[in-house]
Amino acid sequence: VGGLTVLRAIKAVLPDLPTVYLGDTARLPYGTKTAETIAHYVRQNVAFLVRQGVDSVVVACNSASSVLNALGDLGVPMHGTILPGARAAAALTRNGRVAVLGTGATIRSGAYGRALRQLVPALQVVEQSAALLVPLVEEGWWQDEVTRQVAWRYLQPVQQAGCDTLVLGCTHFPILRELIGDLLGNQVALVDPGLALAEELRCSSGFSLLEPVGSAERKVAAKERWFCTDPHPGLLELAKAILGKEQQVSWEFADLAGEMAADLPSTP
Amino acid sequence: VGGLTVLRAIKAVLPDLPTVYLGDTARLPYGTKTAETIAHYVRQNVAFLVRQGVDSVVVACNSASSVLNALGDLGVPMHGTILPGARAAAALTRNGRVAVLGTGATIRSGAYGRALRQLVPALQVVEQSAALLVPLVEEGWWQDEVTRQVAWRYLQPVQQAGCDTLVLGCTHFPILRELIGDLLGNQVALVDPGLALAEELRCSSGFSLLEPVGSAERKVAAKERWFCTDPHPGLLELAKAILGKEQQVSWEFADLAGEMAADLPSTP
């Protein structure tokens, strides 16, 4: 579901890019799972997207992006959120203290810390897990007093460490940008890795609007397709709230679980 | 993870019963998914357990129990939480007003309401989704002020409706029994369907301690086995907190996802 904030960012800078979206709603959230299980799901999702004819994959999830290095070559260019987010944060910080707010899986991976210190070895990085903000966003409590209290508990160490830059290191968190900004005040810059990724895609030649390389051979017929692995009734509502009413979405069911189970005996 | 509260209840009344536990940690939570996806996962889990030699399956999850009727015959006796929970609540209420607190999936299914009204047609049933209590329990905030506030928001309609009995209709909620009891006061009886299920198992002849029918032919060699589908580092800690320190657990990995993916191309 959070991936929609990344798609929204990409659509904003590349409105004519044909896209195939896959929301793995049958197995979300990823942020509470191990790197091995997440890697396994990413492989399956990428194989599905490649079968839909995509020629490039954006991993619109920080937890999934944090295991990207372990995946090896999946036969298609992969774009994660970690590097763009780290690059944007390293460019923004003035006092060299950067905080990252993420899921348990993203923080445990240490991927942002590694990427940031590779860019600027002297950076101080505070990596803070903020697991409960994900279900709070999914419950729709975006401007809620409870969400504010929970967020503040996670943000206190960030403020105490004197960080001047915070990476919103989970695709759900840009939805709480205003609430988080209010809590930290405007002396702390907020980085949305989805926006940074979209900006990098726009600047890379393969996605350029001026020079749509290879667009004639694109195998994607429709301009947009939207898949999810579990057609949850709450999904449509949440998707509408994230994407805005003007975005028309017709969801298709990606039966990843069904395919996977084809050779499993359903009865003993 | 929540299934451990049901296992704990069963162990309390049937300490000598050999058990095989499967926690589907790779795909939790079930409570935010559709009935179809949950049913699909239950089928796979039951097939796995049958391969381990069990002769009876306890569905230690209310969301999964709520789809049991749609599953058909899986070749093994299945025991869900809904009927025992409904029976206990119907027996306890004096004013005929019963509330059920559950996940989105359980409440949407209407399974408790149907079961309760089948037992006592005149019962008034308030079915209340309480989705956020699940991640709050998993985050370990069992006695937290935030959890108290969230719980109170869900419980207010229960109190306003004048219910004298509340079904803790998610296996995570017995962990919050004290907190919920404090909020509602002792004029409201709390029903733990896991306890009710354990009591029914104890009374049913096949599980009787006095007459261990068929125990000689049991295919389960070890007295206890513990499987999970994702060996998450937080799982062990949470399991210990739920089961108590005296319970020794050695987790084994159930590679359901790996099996399922065996025939999926991992690269295009």
Side-chain angles (χ1 to χ4, degrees):
Chain A
V1 176
L4 293 170
T5 67
V6 179
L7 188 71
R8 183 180 63 184
I10 294 172
K11 292 277 178 199
V13 296
L14 293 165
D16 294 326
L17 186 72
T19 51
V20 180
Y21 185 83
L22 171 63
D24 191 5
T25 45
R27 302 181 293 196
L28 66 78
Y30 280 16
T32 59
K33 277 137 200 169
T34 61
E36 292 72 23
T37 294
I38 296 169
H40 180 66
Y41 292 164
V42 172
R43 271 182 227 278
Q44 294 177 338
N45 296 343
V46 169
F48 173 84
L49 287 168
V50 166
R51 288 201 296 281
Q52 307 310 313
V54 306
D55 51 24
S56 188
V57 172
V58 169
V59 182
C61 168
N62 288 273
S63 303
S65 296
S66 73
V67 305
L68 225 51
N69 286 342
L71 284 177
D73 183 15
L74 298 185
V76 64
M78 305 276 285
H79 305 272
T81 55
I82 309 287
L83 282 179
R87 278 192 280 256
L92 271 172
T93 182
R94 288 168 304 278
N95 71 6
R97 275 172 266 170
V98 173
V100 180
L101 208 63
T103 64
T106 299
I107 297 308
R108 235 178 2 257
S109 78
Y112 269 112
R114 271 195 306 280
L116 282 161
R117 279 184 292 261
Q118 227 156 37
L119 292 164
V120 184
L123 280 185
Q124 281 179 45
V125 183
V126 175
E127 294 179 88
Q128 172 70 44
S129 162
L132 284 168
L133 295 182
V134 173
L136 282 162
V137 164
E138 291 182 0
E139 188 77 343
W141 294 17
W142 298 1
Q143 289 289 343
D144 198 281
E145 183 50 34
V146 165
T147 308
R148 179 178 295 272
Q149 282 179 47
V150 172
W152 180 234
R153 206 174 296 183
Y154 293 131
L155 290 172
Q156 261 176 315
V158 171
Q159 197 176 59
Q160 277 159 11
C163 300
D164 72 351
T165 305
L166 173 71
V167 178
L168 303 172
C170 166
T171 55
H172 286 66
F173 298 170
I175 293 168
L176 303 176
R177 187 181 189 119
E178 206 177 306
L179 184 147
I180 291 170
D182 282 351
L183 287 169
L184 288 178
N186 54 18
Q187 65 275 29
V188 177
L190 302 183
V191 173
D192 176 351
L195 280 176
L197 168 62
E199 203 50 48
E200 291 193 5
L201 287 181
R202 191 180 64 81
C203 297
S204 73
S205 65
F207 290 92
S208 164
L209 283 178
L210 300 171
E211 199 181 358
V213 175
S215 66
E217 307 96 305
R218 262 184 221 292
K219 289 158 281 177
V220 180
K223 192 166 166 289
E224 284 183 346
R225 291 189 77 178
W226 305 80
F227 291 96
C228 64
T229 55
D230 184 26
H232 190 274
L235 174 73
L236 252 138
E237 209 178 323
L238 198 56
K240 269 213 172 109
I242 296 173
L243 292 168
K245 279 170 195 162
E246 63 279 10
Q247 175 71 58
Q248 294 295 316
V249 178
S250 166
W251 289 98
E252 298 174 67
F253 176 45
D255 191 11
L256 286 188
E259 277 183 23
M260 289 187 287
D263 295 270
L264 252 197
S266 67
T267 50
Chain B
V1 178
L4 294 170
T5 67
V6 179
L7 189 70
R8 183 180 61 183
I10 294 172
K11 291 276 177 202
V13 297
L14 294 165
D16 294 325
L17 186 73
T19 51
V20 180
Y21 186 82
L22 171 63
D24 191 6
T25 44
R27 303 182 291 196
L28 66 79
Y30 280 16
T32 59
K33 278 138 200 168
T34 61
E36 291 72 23
T37 293
I38 296 169
H40 180 65
Y41 292 164
V42 172
R43 271 183 227 278
Q44 293 177 341
N45 296 343
V46 169
F48 173 85
L49 287 168
V50 167
R51 287 201 298 280
Q52 307 310 314
V54 306
D55 50 24
S56 187
V57 172
V58 168
V59 182
C61 167
N62 289 274
S63 303
S65 296
S66 75
V67 305
L68 225 52
N69 287 342
L71 284 177
D73 183 16
L74 298 184
V76 65
M78 305 275 285
H79 305 272
T81 56
I82 308 289
L83 282 180
R87 278 192 280 256
L92 272 172
T93 182
R94 288 169 302 277
N95 71 6
R97 274 171 265 170
V98 173
V100 180
L101 208 62
T103 64
T106 299
I107 298 307
R108 235 178 3 258
S109 78
Y112 270 112
R114 271 195 306 280
L116 283 161
R117 278 183 293 262
Q118 228 155 37
L119 292 164
V120 184
L123 280 184
Q124 280 178 46
V125 184
V126 175
E127 294 179 87
Q128 172 71 45
S129 162
L132 283 169
L133 295 182
V134 174
L136 283 163
V137 164
E138 291 182 359
E139 188 77 344
W141 295 16
W142 298 1
Q143 288 290 346
D144 199 280
E145 183 50 35
V146 165
T147 308
R148 180 178 294 272
Q149 282 178 49
V150 172
W152 180 234
R153 206 175 294 184
Y154 293 132
L155 290 172
Q156 261 176 316
V158 171
Q159 197 175 60
Q160 277 159 12
C163 299
D164 71 353
T165 305
L166 173 71
V167 178
L168 303 172
C170 165
T171 55
H172 286 65
F173 298 169
I175 293 169
L176 303 177
R177 187 181 188 117
E178 205 177 307
L179 184 147
I180 290 170
D182 282 350
L183 288 169
L184 288 178
N186 54 17
Q187 66 275 28
V188 178
L190 302 184
V191 172
D192 176 351
L195 281 176
L197 169 62
E199 203 50 48
E200 291 193 6
L201 287 181
R202 190 179 65 80
C203 298
S204 73
S205 65
F207 289 93
S208 165
L209 282 178
L210 298 171
E211 198 181 358
V213 176
S215 66
E217 306 96 306
R218 262 184 221 291
K219 288 159 279 179
V220 180
K223 192 166 165 291
E224 285 183 345
R225 292 190 75 180
W226 304 80
F227 291 96
C228 64
T229 56
D230 185 24
H232 190 274
L235 174 73
L236 250 138
E237 209 178 324
L238 197 56
K240 270 213 171 108
I242 296 174
L243 292 169
K245 279 170 195 161
E246 64 278 11
Q247 174 72 58
Q248 294 296 316
V249 178
S250 166
W251 289 99
E252 298 174 66
F253 177 45
D255 191 12
L256 286 188
E259 279 183 23
M260 290 187 286
D263 295 86
L264 252 197
S266 67
T267 50

